[in-house]
Amino acid sequence: MKALVKTALVAALGFSALGAIAGEISDSTVDATGARNTAGSDRAQAYQYLGSTYGSGRITNSRIYARGARNDSFSRDGVASQEIGIAGAGGRMDNVTVHADRAFNRSAGSGAWAAQEIGKVTNGTMRNVTVFANDVVNNADRDGSVAKQKIGVVN
């Protein structure tokens, strides 16, 4: 009997862990206005995730504010990735507003690479979504450069 209880408990924990893989933001307000993230240089990098979900993630009935968010690498070996209002990997956004005016993402030279994604769904659906991304900036600033920017995209 104890073995059966332990097996059931392990199975239940396993299933709950699987369910936890999918992130969800629901009936919420995320306010990251003016958020700052900086790496500084040498091997740099700088990853900023604001109001984002992954692994069949869902964002529903929510508002995400990231006006003036700044992500900077200063980049010897580069990167700088900024994600605002993202539902990744089979994700879904429904009845969502993303405010990311004046968001700034930069790598700046040497190894460079800069990716900025605002209001994006990967391999999923977007319904009744409004994205405000006025005056946003995404720079790699030469050397090994590359700069990718996606705003209001389903891919």
Side-chain angles (χ1 to χ4, degrees):
M1 183 67 169
K2 282 185 179 182
L4 180 59
V5 171
K6 284 182 182 177
T7 302
L9 180 60
V10 169
L13 289 172
F15 287 127
S16 68
L18 286 174
I21 290 171
E24 182 172 351
I25 298 171
S26 181
D27 302 311
S28 300
T29 297
V30 175
D31 189 347
T33 300
R36 299 279 187 264
N37 185 45
T38 303
S41 196
D42 278 355
R43 302 291 164 242
Q45 304 208 8
Y47 297 90
Q48 186 178 52
Y49 309 100
L50 306 172
S52 297
T53 64
Y54 302 92
S56 298
R58 295 186 319 196
I59 305 174
T60 58
N61 305 315
S62 296
R63 308 297 165 257
I64 298 164
Y65 298 92
R67 291 182 176 115
R70 186 177 184 95
N71 188 45
D72 233 325
S73 171
F74 307 146
S75 181
R76 173 167 290 159
D77 288 335
V79 183
S81 177
Q82 183 181 54
E83 299 183 3
I84 301 170
I86 304 297
R92 185 177 81 204
M93 291 176 77
D94 188 9
N95 193 31
V96 175
T97 304
V98 179
H99 300 268
D101 299 323
R102 297 174 313 284
F104 179 90
N105 186 54
R106 172 178 62 182
S107 191
S110 202
W113 195 73
Q116 184 182 54
E117 298 179 340
I118 300 170
K120 187 190 112 179
V121 173
T122 305
N123 298 323
T125 60
M126 186 183 283
R127 195 177 123 247
N128 193 27
V129 173
T130 304
V131 178
F132 297 99
N134 299 299
D135 301 319
V136 299
V137 175
N138 184 49
N139 287 331
D141 292 344
R142 293 200 293 258
D143 283 357
S145 275
V146 170
K148 295 185 343 181
Q149 186 179 57
K150 296 181 182 181
I151 300 171
V153 173
V154 175
N155 67 343

